[in-house]
């Protein structure tokens, strides 16, 4: 007599497994029923913030990249330190990230919590913000699937080894990107995000002051450009906030001018300029400089790929109530 009950239990168990599997799949319409105003709310706040603070797009794109590359796209980069623990934000490479990105995420999360509390993850907010801001400043649209969960840890000790630096040699850059599943072409396309934003003088000071025994500055620089940088950054040690636009011609527009600049010796960072001299990356720099559509297409595909890198789903993470704090105190 118990046999029918076992069949019923088996069917119920199978249904629950199927339901869990279905729920775990990332999809573009993940919030259509649970938070139908998600996209509208985001669009409104993103537009307002970008208009009032034009550095927001570049800052958010940088936070997104730094978040995903360290331990997956899980918003661990958004966590603020407390009296018990330091977070990824405290890693040296993240100290110069502009605060506009964090302010934006806070504004979006606050509005979404009022509309649909406990539904939208910070990881999804960050991923969509990066995409929409790229589009707002002239870049390509690409699909962002949704359903990520937020991490329960943020460890500053693992940041440095997972992120490229201004002085990272090309061999190490290619190896780092490869370890995360990205080709040389995809790397060159992703670094093209430097077409917007700025870099602090300390990031390239070694190229413009006391470069070598035979030259005050890196001869790879355009000579007129480097003289301007030397004047701009003359007091950078006393004023560490001093910075220069990554793209001197169209700093606020997402386009392929960044690659054209590299060809002319107008690349700020050593790691960027190296891409135009290394045979493994130069063909892609040249192609993207000559064809903006080719750059946009590869950037979009690479960002789609990056946006799902090691994401957390279901019980592997939470939906934080605040993006800068874990739901439970970490001690």
């Amino acid at each position: 007599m118990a046999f029918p009950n076992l069949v019923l239990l088996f069917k119920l168990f199978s249904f629950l497994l199927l339901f869990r599997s279905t729920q775990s799949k990332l999809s573009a319409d993940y919030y259509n029923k649970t938070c139908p105003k998600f996209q509208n709310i985001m669009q409104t706040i993103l537009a307002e913030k970008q208009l009032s603070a034009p550095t927001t797009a570049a800052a958010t794109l940088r936070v997104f990249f730094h978040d995903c590359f360290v331990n997956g796209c899980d918003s661990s980069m958004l966590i603020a330190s407390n009296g018990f623990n330091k977070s990824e934000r405290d890693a040296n490479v993240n100290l110069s990230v502009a605060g506009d990105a964090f302010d934006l995420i806070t504004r979006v999360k606050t509005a979404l919590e009022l509309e649909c509390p406990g539904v939208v993850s910070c990881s999804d907010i960050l991923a969509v913000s990066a995409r929409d801001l790229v589009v707002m400043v002239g870049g390509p649209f690409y699909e962002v699937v949704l359903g990520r969960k937020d991490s329960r840890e943020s460890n500053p000790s693992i940041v440095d080894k997972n992120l490229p630096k201004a002085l990272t040699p090309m061999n190490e850059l290619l190896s780092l990107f490869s370890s995360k599943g990205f080709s040389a072409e995809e790397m060159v396309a992703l670094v093209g995000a430097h077409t917007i934003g700025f870099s602090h003088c300390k990031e390239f000071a070694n190229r413009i002051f006391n470069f070598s025994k035979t030259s005050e500055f890196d001869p790879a620089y355009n000579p007129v450009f480097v003289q301007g940088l030397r004047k701009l950054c003359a007091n950078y040690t006393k004023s560490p906030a001093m910075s220069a636009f990554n793209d001197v011609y169209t700093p606020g527009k997402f386009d392929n001018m960044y690659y054209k600049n590299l060809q002319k010796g107008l690349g700020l960072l050593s790691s960027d300029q190296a891409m135009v001299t290394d045979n493994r990356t130069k063909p892609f720099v040249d192609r993207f400089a000559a064809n903006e559509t080719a750059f946009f297409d590869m950037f979009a595909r690479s960002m789609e790929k990056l946006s799902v890198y090691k994401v957390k789903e279901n019980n592997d993470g939470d939906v934080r109530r605040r993006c800068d704090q874990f739901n439970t105190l970490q001690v």
Side-chain angles (χ1 to χ4, degrees):
M1 296 295 295
F3 184 73
N5 290 335
L6 289 175
V7 172
L8 182 62
L9 285 172
F10 179 79
K11 288 182 177 179
L12 179 60
F13 181 71
S14 298
F15 172 77
L16 289 174
L17 283 178
L18 178 62
F19 178 75
R20 189 175 188 272
S21 176
T22 302
Q23 287 294 95
S24 71
K25 293 178 180 177
L26 302 179
S27 64
D29 59 358
Y30 191 85
Y31 297 117
N32 281 12
K33 293 182 179 179
T34 55
C35 193
K37 294 183 180 179
F38 166 68
Q39 294 287 356
N40 289 339
I41 290 173
M42 288 211 59
Q43 283 286 327
T44 299
I45 297 175
L46 290 174
E48 290 174 351
K49 178 63 179 177
Q50 180 62 23
L51 284 171
S52 63
T55 59
T56 301
T60 304
L61 197 51
R62 187 181 181 199
V63 169
F64 176 69
F65 182 86
H66 284 211
D67 179 55
C68 292
F69 242 55
V70 170
N71 198 28
C73 303
D74 58 7
S75 68
S76 54
M77 172 69 177
L78 300 180
I79 292 294
S81 297
N82 57 38
F84 300 98
N85 283 300
K86 297 293 184 180
S87 72
E88 289 177 22
R89 283 202 216 179
D90 290 307
N92 187 60
V93 70
N94 287 331
L95 295 178
S96 61
V97 174
D100 286 317
F102 301 114
D103 177 65
L104 169 69
I105 301 302
T106 298
R107 293 188 190 191
V108 173
K109 181 62 172 175
T110 301
L112 288 172
E113 284 298 298
L114 291 172
E115 177 65 26
C116 39
V119 173
V120 182
S121 71
C122 302
S123 303
D124 281 344
I125 291 172
L126 180 56
V128 174
S129 295
R131 189 273 310 280
D132 287 358
L133 286 166
V134 164
V135 174
M136 283 183 191
V137 294
F141 177 89
Y142 55 91
E143 185 174 85
V144 173
V145 290
L146 305 168
R148 299 165 187 77
K149 292 298 186 287
D150 302 322
S151 71
R152 300 185 182 113
E153 61 179 354
S154 181
N155 184 357
S157 68
I158 64 173
V159 172
D160 279 352
K161 64 183 180 182
N162 281 292
L163 289 178
K165 318 292 191 306
L167 297 177
T168 303
M170 184 55 64
N171 283 339
E172 291 183 25
L173 281 176
L174 290 168
S175 177
L176 175 61
F177 277 80
S178 178
S179 71
K180 299 177 188 301
F182 292 91
S183 66
E185 182 178 18
E186 290 169 329
M187 182 192 81
V188 175
L190 288 172
V191 177
H194 287 170
T195 188
I196 56 175
F198 58 86
S199 294
H200 290 93
C201 292
K202 67 176 183 178
E203 300 295 335
F204 54 90
N206 67 301
R207 296 187 68 201
I208 61 176
F209 299 118
N210 304 313
F211 179 72
S212 69
K213 293 181 179 180
T214 58
S215 177
E216 268 292 302
F217 55 83
D218 186 346
Y221 269 127
N222 175 291
V224 176
F225 181 54
V226 74
Q227 292 303 330
L229 292 177
R230 284 166 62 86
K231 290 179 182 178
L232 173 69
C233 299
N235 296 314
Y236 83 96
T237 55
K238 297 179 181 178
S239 303
M242 292 291 286
S243 58
F245 288 121
N246 292 325
D247 175 354
V248 67
Y249 286 114
T250 57
K253 183 182 179 183
F254 199 100
D255 55 20
N256 68 334
M257 186 60 71
Y258 161 80
Y259 300 104
K260 296 179 181 180
N261 290 341
L262 292 183
Q263 294 175 323
K264 299 173 182 177
L266 301 175
L268 277 185
L269 306 179
S270 176
S271 55
D272 287 6
Q273 194 62 46
M275 293 195 305
V276 82
T277 57
D278 193 289
N279 290 332
R280 293 166 293 182
T281 51
K282 186 179 186 300
F284 307 122
V285 172
D286 292 342
R287 183 156 66 89
F288 295 156
N291 188 336
E292 186 173 79
T293 300
F295 164 47
F296 277 15
D297 178 63
M298 183 51 63
F299 181 82
R301 283 192 282 163
S302 300
M303 286 296 285
E304 283 187 19
K305 183 176 177 178
L306 176 62
S307 71
V308 293
Y309 177 66
K310 295 178 68 174
V311 298
K312 308 249 180 336
E313 300 177 63
N314 296 318
N315 295 327
D316 293 334
D318 298 322
V319 173
R320 290 190 206 131
R321 290 182 289 272
R322 284 183 49 161
C323 290
D324 62 348
Q325 294 180 4
F326 296 115
N327 287 348
T328 56
L329 183 63
Q330 306 288 307
V331 294

